[in-house]
Amino acid sequence: ATSVMVLQASQEIASIQILNLLGKRVSFTSVNNTTSSIDVSGLTAGSYIATVLFSNGNTQNLNFIKK
């Protein structure tokens, strides 16, 4: 990802939080949709974890690298 990360899911996404590798939350977005575009241009280059919380309570972690 460079400036925008787009997530699509078959289930409704409630929220997405982005954590750095130290576990510090650097971004939080409420979604309530199956698609979300997240602006990551303000993040410094490096590795991050996006924790996706679905409306049904399930979560999924996605690793990504900000260039």
Side-chain angles (χ1 to χ4, degrees):
T2 54
S3 60
V4 176
M5 183 171 65
V6 178
L7 296 176
Q8 278 190 294
S10 57
Q11 303 173 45
E12 183 177 80
I13 300 168
S15 64
I16 300 167
Q17 71 174 348
I18 298 177
L19 309 172
N20 64 19
L21 291 183
L22 299 175
K24 180 181 176 190
R25 184 165 74 179
V26 295
S27 174
F28 181 85
T29 306
S30 292
V31 179
N32 298 317
N33 204 334
T34 56
T35 304
S36 178
S37 297
I38 301 172
D39 181 6
V40 294
S41 62
L43 300 177
T44 56
S47 296
Y48 294 89
I49 301 166
T51 301
V52 181
L53 173 64
F54 295 98
S55 296
N56 65 6
N58 290 338
T59 60
Q60 182 173 358
N61 292 329
L62 305 167
N63 297 325
F64 71 96
I65 297 173
K66 165 67 168 74
K67 295 183 178 182

